[in-house]
Amino acid sequence: MLHIHLKKCQSTQQYLKSYLAKLPKSNTKNILISTDIQTNGHGRHKRNWIQYKDSIALSFKYQSQLMPTLIPLAIGVGMVGFIQNHFNLKAQLKWPNDIFYKNKKIGGIICQTYKSEYIIGIGLNIFNQNNHFDHGFLLQEEVRSKFNAYDLTSALFQYLSQLNFSIQDVLKTWKIHCYHLNQIVFVKDEQFEFYGKFLGIAKNGEALIEDLNSKNVRKILSGSIYPDLRST
């Protein structure tokens, strides 16, 4: 494995794409890019991802026989497994690509195509930053001195690289760790918005949501879901 760890970069995704473009295809396997500071990271729908101090941001190539729409879900399942094995903590998943811990988002996953393969980007908040409690974090302050971004991103990459999910593995395990299963959510896309009950995911990774008005179960692939805040 070639692990390039940067002090600062705009985007690990873009850095990896540029790096791969300069290499022969035979030399592009098992390359990991990570950074201490990412200044222009993006998530789904080009939303900005703010990386806090002593957190991790990484990108790597990923090969899989799964459908593209299942890749972020599979990586999410892998992330939950890594957090459990490495930290003995139980994280959860929000459709389609967010990682939650103690009811707050601590990380996200982006999956982009590169030629015939995928580039995966992951951001994960490890520690709280200046007592900002509007975002989640994974570890307590007393272990910050032991934090090493290079070692942690290497371990995460090795863990994810060894996974080989079937479709059924992804669907079953993702549902077990779903943050909002059987809860009322607000669904929003460019073409529609509605409230519904989140029932699970379909075989291609679509969210299965029972529309509260029509009572029909709708498959949602491109939209986003939010908590039901009508009573707050």
Side-chain angles (χ1 to χ4, degrees):
M1 176 186 74
L2 173 61
H3 184 177
I4 300 174
H5 185 75
L6 307 165
K7 288 295 183 182
K8 178 189 277 190
C9 74
Q10 288 191 335
S11 164
T12 56
Q13 288 287 95
Q14 191 56 51
Y15 189 99
L16 179 55
K17 290 178 185 178
S18 299
Y19 190 88
L20 292 174
K22 301 175 184 177
L23 297 178
K25 186 174 182 180
S26 59
N27 293 336
T28 62
K29 294 183 179 180
N30 296 326
I31 298 175
L32 169 63
I33 308 297
S34 60
T35 185
D36 290 331
I37 301 173
Q38 182 175 235
T39 60
N40 194 28
H42 289 89
R44 192 164 172 254
H45 301 314
K46 297 184 178 181
R47 297 188 182 103
N48 288 333
W49 172 257
I50 299 174
Q51 183 186 358
Y52 295 95
K53 181 183 177 182
D54 290 342
S55 295
I56 60 173
L58 62 150
S59 294
F60 55 92
K61 268 200 347 177
Y62 186 73
Q63 294 178 311
S64 176
Q65 299 301 312
L66 295 172
M67 292 189 62
T69 50
L70 285 173
I71 300 293
L73 305 182
I75 297 297
V77 169
M79 288 293 297
V80 168
F82 176 80
I83 291 169
Q84 174 69 54
N85 290 346
H86 200 80
F87 299 111
N88 196 29
L89 299 173
K90 293 184 178 181
Q92 293 179 289
L93 299 169
K94 174 180 172 289
W95 185 88
N97 63 339
D98 289 338
I99 305 160
F100 271 60
Y101 179 64
K102 292 186 175 180
N103 298 318
K104 290 188 177 182
K105 180 177 176 178
I106 61 168
I109 300 158
I110 184 170
C111 175
Q112 298 174 320
T113 56
Y114 179 80
K115 298 182 179 180
S116 60
E117 297 174 302
Y118 307 102
I119 291 181
I120 305 299
I122 297 172
L124 189 67
N125 294 332
I126 306 298
F127 295 99
N128 190 24
Q129 179 68 17
N130 297 327
N131 293 320
H132 288 308
F133 293 104
D134 56 337
H135 73 274
F137 56 95
L138 196 59
L139 300 181
Q140 298 300 316
E141 189 67 26
E142 55 264 25
V143 298
R144 187 188 287 264
S145 62
K146 300 178 181 180
F147 174 74
N148 184 297
Y150 181 94
D151 291 344
L152 184 58
T153 51
S154 292
L156 175 57
F157 174 74
Q158 295 285 3
Y159 183 89
L160 295 176
S161 298
Q162 295 172 7
L163 301 177
N164 184 21
F165 291 114
S166 68
I167 294 176
Q168 291 305 315
D169 288 336
V170 174
L171 299 180
K172 179 180 178 180
T173 312
W174 193 95
K175 189 174 181 179
I176 291 172
H177 297 291
C178 179
Y179 172 69
H180 45 75
L181 185 65
N182 295 322
Q183 294 184 15
I184 303 302
V185 296
F186 177 61
V187 186
K188 186 174 183 178
D189 198 3
E190 293 181 357
Q191 306 298 324
F192 58 80
E193 57 183 52
F194 67 96
Y195 286 92
K197 184 177 181 180
F198 191 94
L199 303 179
I201 51 177
K203 64 179 182 179
N204 295 325
E206 310 99 314
L208 296 174
I209 301 177
E210 182 184 37
D211 190 313
L212 291 187
N213 289 326
S214 68
K215 302 304 180 183
N216 293 326
V217 176
R218 300 172 63 170
K219 290 184 179 181
I220 306 299
L221 189 58
S222 61
S224 298
I225 65 171
Y226 305 91
D228 180 7
L229 300 178
R230 291 174 296 177
S231 61
T232 60

